[in-house]
Amino acid sequence: MIASRIAWITVAGSALLGASPAIAGTFYSITPLPFQPADLNNSGDVVGQQYLWRNGTLFDIRTFPGATDTTLNARGINDTGWIVGDGLRSDRSAPFFDIANNRGFVFNGRDITPIPPTTFTIPAARTIATDVNNQNQVLVNEQLVGTGVSGVTFRLEPDGSRTPLFQTARFGAIDARATNNRGQAVGTSLSSGRTGPGAAYLSDGTITTPLISSGYCSTFIDFIVPRCEQGVTNPPQPIALNLNDRGQVVGAGPLIRANDAPLRAIIWENPLTNPFGKDLGSFGQGVSEGFGRNLESIANGINTSGDVVGYAYAPNGERRAVLWQNGQLIDLNDQSVLDSSWKLTNALKINGAGQIIGIGSFNGQETGFLLSPEPIPEPNQVLGSSIAGVGMFLACLLRKRRSR
């Protein structure tokens, strides 16, 4: 509220004094979070590590019914308050480092239940629930013990059945990150990112669509994307990190076809009809500037309005939490009422109300944050309110004089 009050006073004062009106926009109030946030819902509830932040109160989900003596890791929350994650121990007597004893979990608002491995894999497998939508469908990766590789990715349905995902993905094991309310999910092969081969995918359980970036090139014969040029042997590949209910996907991919190409934030506007992503840009725009960090950016989250959050490197080499909105790249450090003790370095998710979670530092200590939008009134609205207020003041003054 401080931000909106300051802006209102500034605009009102300018209007009354005849100065140029301030430009309307959005600023954010900031709430420090004593944990690393992972997800938030449209009510502003935030989860991360073993915590739930709701209406200014911090809850430890290890105290919820069904939790075992372990360190839970909450990864997703939906609008009905379901929470999913991993780290639930199925056997309290087993050592903490026993990965085969590590289960994904679902909190349905009443108690926590484990997600066992699928019946057709070896028992020694870890399950990781990464997201949950408003239909209470849970996105689950299954990781084989000792390999770090996801053997199976599936959607756990409300009736307990399992829908396999990414079955036709070309590069094998998939790290699924997010699902939307249409049941679509995005994931990335574990070899994607700065080294290939690998690919990003969109899947609904029936169709698996590869997601391609402008600098993507295949080291294999491929009829969809071009082969790599001579000398390009290990190109960076696209990664898919989030999607919204419109089916828009965000992530990152190589800027050009080169072994050392920087990753750039990407949006796939309509991947079912056009698998090629669009470059969202960064603080440095041209390839001619060299492969400096100011060319790099990552898109982590997107809401239904198409607002995208992530990070980008500034020309001075600092990583900055950013928002892409209406074609503009916005440094969130410039949109918040912050003192010099705060630095916002990575924006992770944005909800339908425009609230943003992320990671930053306060007095040099890493901390989570929640940004809440504080709209600035339009200048004409403020001017009208100001004139009305002045009129009321003068009327009261004249009434007092008459009463004398």
Side-chain angles (χ1 to χ4, degrees), residues 13 18 72 86 156 164 335:
L72 299 180
D86 67 307
L156 180 63
Q335 299 298 117

Side-chain angles (χ1 to χ4, degrees), residues 18-239:
S20 300
I23 299 174
T26 301
F27 277 77
Y28 298 86
S29 60
I30 186 166
T31 301
L33 298 174
F35 59 93
Q36 291 193 359
D39 197 17
L40 81 165
N41 62 17
N42 286 316
S43 298
D45 301 333
V46 183
V47 294
Q49 297 179 285
Q50 68 263 32
Y51 298 109
L52 163 66
W53 177 271
R54 174 174 288 164
N55 297 325
T57 301
L58 184 67
F59 299 90
D60 189 333
I61 62 177
R62 296 175 301 177
T63 64
F64 293 176
T68 54
D69 183 19
T70 185
T71 301
L72 299 180
N73 184 28
R75 295 173 179 264
I77 184 171
N78 67 8
D79 290 341
T80 61
W82 279 41
I83 301 171
V84 300
D86 67 307
L88 186 67
R89 297 174 65 215
S90 57
D91 181 2
R92 296 188 189 186
S93 63
F96 281 100
F97 57 81
D98 183 3
I99 191 173
N101 189 43
N102 196 323
R103 297 285 181 264
F105 70 86
V106 177
F107 173 67
N108 59 9
R110 299 181 301 274
D111 52 28
I112 291 176
T113 56
I115 302 173
T118 53
T119 57
F120 52 86
T121 61
I122 59 176
R126 171 188 183 187
T127 53
I128 305 170
T130 58
D131 200 10
V132 57
N133 63 19
N134 289 339
Q135 279 66 51
N136 299 328
Q137 296 173 310
V138 181
L139 186 62
V140 183
N141 292 319
E142 190 166 298
Q143 192 175 84
L144 303 183
V145 173
T147 65
V149 173
S150 296
V152 178
T153 300
F154 60 88
R155 190 174 62 224
L156 180 63
E157 307 292 352
D159 62 3
S161 62
R162 302 182 177 203
T163 302
L165 300 171
F166 307 102
Q167 289 183 294
T168 60
R170 176 172 183 174
F171 293 106
I174 298 296
D175 176 17
R177 294 295 186 93
T179 185
N180 63 13
N181 291 320
R182 297 163 57 183
Q184 296 173 308
V186 291
T188 303
S189 64
L190 295 182
S191 57
S192 288
R194 293 203 172 280
T195 59
Y201 295 97
L202 170 70
S203 176
D204 62 3
T206 302
I207 301 173
T208 298
T209 304
L211 304 174
I212 304 165
S213 67
S214 58
Y216 178 93
C217 63
S218 175
T219 54
F220 302 95
I221 296 175
D222 199 314
F223 297 102
I224 300 177
V225 297
R227 286 287 301 274
C228 296
E229 286 84 351
Q230 186 175 2
V232 179
T233 58
N234 200 31
Q237 309 298 339
I239 53 177

Side-chain angles (χ1 to χ4, degrees), residues 307-377:
D307 301 327
V308 179
V309 294
Y311 71 79
Y313 282 94
N316 64 1
E318 289 186 351
R319 194 168 74 171
R320 316 285 281 181
V322 297
L323 166 70
W324 287 272
Q325 187 176 63
N326 299 323
Q328 300 295 316
L329 173 59
I330 301 167
D331 187 340
L332 289 171
N333 290 274
D334 299 333
Q335 299 298 117
S336 308
V337 182
L338 303 176
D339 60 35
S340 58
S341 301
W342 272 104
K343 287 186 179 181
L344 309 183
T345 56
N346 194 6
L348 300 173
K349 299 286 179 66
I350 180 170
N351 67 10
Q355 293 176 295
I356 299 169
I357 57 170
I359 300 293
S361 64
F362 183 74
N363 285 327
Q365 297 295 315
E366 186 176 82
T367 184
F369 65 80
L370 169 66
L371 296 180
S372 298
E374 301 286 355
I376 301 174

Side-chain angles (χ1 to χ4, degrees), residues 265-317:
I266 289 177
I267 181 170
W268 289 270
E269 295 276 8
N270 192 350
L272 293 179
T273 59
N274 179 15
F276 287 88
K278 174 185 175 183
D279 178 11
L280 286 171
S282 68
F283 290 113
Q285 297 295 329
V287 177
S288 61
E289 299 175 37
F291 291 163
R293 267 193 160 177
N294 64 330
L295 289 176
E296 183 171 302
S297 57
I298 302 286
N300 292 315
I302 183 171
N303 64 12
T304 305
S305 299
D307 301 327
V308 179
V309 294
Y311 71 79
Y313 282 94
N316 64 1

